[in-house]
């Protein structure tokens, strides 16, 4: 069978001191994604967005959504998405997602590893997350992202995956996600609490107060220690076997997170399915007649004023502190 070269790494714990960047000799290029994701889907060239990846499941299933097949753990770097999909080690921790009209969801590669690149909303009985969309020509990296992200990047209701807050601690969330047709109603009951920050070049994904969410979740939110594998070596694997490089080992979440080096030369996948010169992207507003009203309300939201659930906290859980969307934990 055909062999692929993939990166295996020496573990470096995020709870230990980290160098801001891996040494140049251990960096990898975008080919790291091109080579290791090709068996999971197709690469397409999309206007100014460059080469984008579409998983086979996204092209086969029009109802498929990013950040749906997995669960949320809380780690040293905040809310971290643990995916069950073999491509998830890359697509939920680097880059951004956008929904291409008449084509479906595509992933635009990025250079920064993060625990998850999502916008967060919570309030009342719901909590939800939406993939951060790509911008033409560049991925917005290297800067903090706050609770104005829905407004700043025009994220509409249909981008969100909402669940009843009681289910947020479950190990399988895909069956708990509310039908997108209900999202407009839920949007009006929630506020944006996104809080992605940087400290010594490490990305932290905060947002919903862990204490508050854990208080109302039927299951305690899993807390894991993140171990980042960042120094690459070569390993041969059989193509098509399928492997999610990120894995949970006891109380540790092991993630493959090499530094992706920007190349001065144009790098392309070996096979490109098609080229879409003038793409049209769905922003999550399709069929929503009161868009301007919703956007006006989004501008007024206060991340410090999260509406409480309609039910009592779980027995035995400590009372939640006031929501602290801007808090930085280490």
């Amino acid at each position: 069978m055909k062999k692929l070269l993939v990166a295996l790494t020496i573990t470096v714990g995020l709870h230990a001191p980290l160098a801001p960047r891996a040494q140049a000799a251990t960096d990898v290029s975008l080919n790291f994604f091109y080579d290791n994701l090709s068996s999971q889907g197709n690469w397409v060239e999309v206007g100014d967005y460059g080469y984008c990846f579409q998983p086979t499941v996204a092209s086969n299933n029009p109802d498929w959504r990013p950040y749906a097949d997995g669960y949320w753990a809380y780690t040293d770097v905040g809310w971290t998405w643990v995916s069950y999909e073999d491509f998830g080690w890359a697509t939920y921790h680097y880059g951004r997602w956008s929904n291409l009209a008449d084509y479906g969801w595509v992933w635009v590669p990025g250079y920064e590893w993060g625990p998850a690149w999502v916008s967060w909303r919570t309030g009342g009985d719901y909590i939800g997350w939406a993939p951060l969309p790509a911008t033409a020509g560049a991925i917005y990296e290297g800067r903090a992202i706050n609770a104005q992200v829905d407004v700043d990047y025009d994220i509409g209701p249909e981008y969100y995956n909402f669940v009843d807050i009681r289910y947020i601690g479950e190990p399988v969330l895909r069956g708990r996600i509310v039908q997108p047709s209900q999202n407009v109603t839920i949007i009006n009951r929630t506020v944006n609490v996104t809080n992605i920050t940087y400290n010594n070049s490490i990305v932290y994904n905060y947002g919903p107060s862990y204490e508050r969410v854990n208080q109302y979740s039927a299951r305690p939110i899993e807390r894991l220690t993140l171990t980042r594998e960042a120094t690459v070596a070569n390993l041969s694997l059989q193509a098509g076997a399928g492997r999610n490089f990120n894995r949970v080992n006891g109380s540790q979440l092991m993630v493959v997170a090499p530094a992706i080096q920007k190349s001065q030369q144009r790098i392309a996948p070996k096979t490109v399915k098609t080229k879409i010169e003038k793409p049209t992207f769905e922003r999550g507003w399709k069929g929503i007649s009161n868009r301007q009203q919703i956007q006006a309300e989004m501008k007024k939201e206060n991340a410090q004023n999260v509406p409480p659930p309609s039910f009592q906290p779980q027995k035995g859980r400590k009372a939640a502190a006031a929501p602290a969307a801007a808090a930085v934990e280490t």
Side-chain angles (χ1 to χ4, degrees):
M1 296 179 66
K2 179 182 177 182
K3 302 286 186 178
L4 287 180
L5 286 179
V6 299
L8 183 67
T9 65
I10 300 173
T11 59
V12 181
L14 274 179
H15 55 281
L18 287 180
R21 297 282 295 178
Q23 297 296 320
T26 65
D27 286 359
V28 294
S29 71
L30 290 177
N31 280 330
F32 181 71
F33 299 137
Y34 296 157
D35 293 343
N36 292 305
L37 295 180
S38 293
S39 63
Q40 307 294 325
N42 294 298
W43 290 94
V44 295
E45 187 173 0
V46 183
D48 294 335
Y49 290 73
Y51 297 110
C52 303
F53 173 72
Q54 184 173 55
T56 301
V57 65
S59 57
N60 291 344
N61 180 4
D63 295 326
W64 181 87
R65 303 168 67 82
Y67 291 98
D69 192 2
Y71 68 96
W72 289 106
Y74 198 81
T75 73
D76 312 65
V77 290
W79 295 102
T80 304
W81 182 249
V82 183
S83 174
Y84 294 127
E85 295 164 310
D86 286 336
F87 50 82
W89 63 270
T91 62
Y92 301 127
H93 300 286
Y94 295 89
R96 308 288 186 268
W97 285 91
S98 287
N99 193 359
L100 185 59
D102 301 321
Y103 201 85
W105 288 97
V106 295
W107 175 68
V108 185
Y111 297 91
E112 290 180 334
W113 188 95
W117 296 102
V118 297
S119 173
W120 284 100
R121 296 186 69 88
T122 190
D125 294 352
Y126 293 97
I127 186 169
W129 57 95
L132 296 178
T135 56
I139 297 292
Y140 43 101
E141 295 178 323
R143 65 176 186 237
I145 302 173
N146 61 28
Q148 285 295 306
V149 66
D150 281 344
V151 176
D152 292 343
Y153 296 101
D154 193 23
I155 301 175
E158 289 190 355
Y159 259 49
Y160 276 88
N161 292 321
F162 281 109
V163 297
D164 187 309
I165 196 169
R166 284 169 284 203
Y167 303 141
I168 190 64
E170 294 195 1
V172 180
L173 288 173
R174 60 179 177 269
R176 296 297 192 181
I177 295 174
V178 175
Q179 287 297 317
S181 59
Q182 300 182 43
N183 284 7
V184 172
T185 300
I186 298 174
I187 286 286
N188 293 329
R189 300 174 181 173
T190 57
V191 297
N192 195 297
V193 293
T194 305
N195 182 22
I196 295 175
T197 63
Y198 290 78
N199 185 0
N200 195 29
S201 299
I202 298 172
V203 181
Y204 294 82
N205 176 31
Y206 300 118
S209 163
Y210 170 81
E211 289 77 12
R212 177 182 182 276
V213 173
N214 193 48
Q215 185 186 21
Y216 289 100
S217 174
R219 292 173 181 248
I221 307 296
E222 189 168 10
R223 297 196 72 146
L224 300 175
T225 299
L226 191 73
T227 300
R228 177 171 173 163
E229 303 176 342
T231 306
V232 301
N234 290 330
L235 175 71
S236 293
L237 291 178
Q238 292 183 346
R243 178 182 176 184
N244 190 334
F245 298 132
N246 295 349
R247 61 199 181 278
V248 175
N249 183 14
S251 63
Q252 288 192 324
L253 173 60
M254 318 286 288
V255 301
V256 171
I260 308 298
Q261 185 179 26
K262 295 183 180 180
S263 176
Q264 296 181 349
Q265 298 180 344
R266 182 177 173 83
I267 300 176
K270 294 177 181 178
T271 303
V272 178
K273 181 180 179 180
T274 188
K275 181 176 181 179
I276 305 171
E277 295 184 356
K278 296 181 179 180
T280 300
F281 290 92
E282 297 288 354
R283 303 293 183 184
W285 295 100
K286 188 175 182 180
I288 298 175
S289 58
N290 61 336
R291 175 174 179 173
Q292 292 183 342
Q293 179 184 351
I294 295 174
Q295 290 176 317
E297 292 298 322
M298 285 178 170
K299 293 179 181 179
K300 301 176 184 178
E301 292 173 356
N302 183 354
Q304 301 296 325
N305 187 19
V306 178
S310 62
F311 55 93
Q312 294 299 312
Q314 300 297 325
K315 292 182 179 180
R317 307 282 174 84
K318 293 182 179 180
V328 175
E329 301 176 32
T330 57

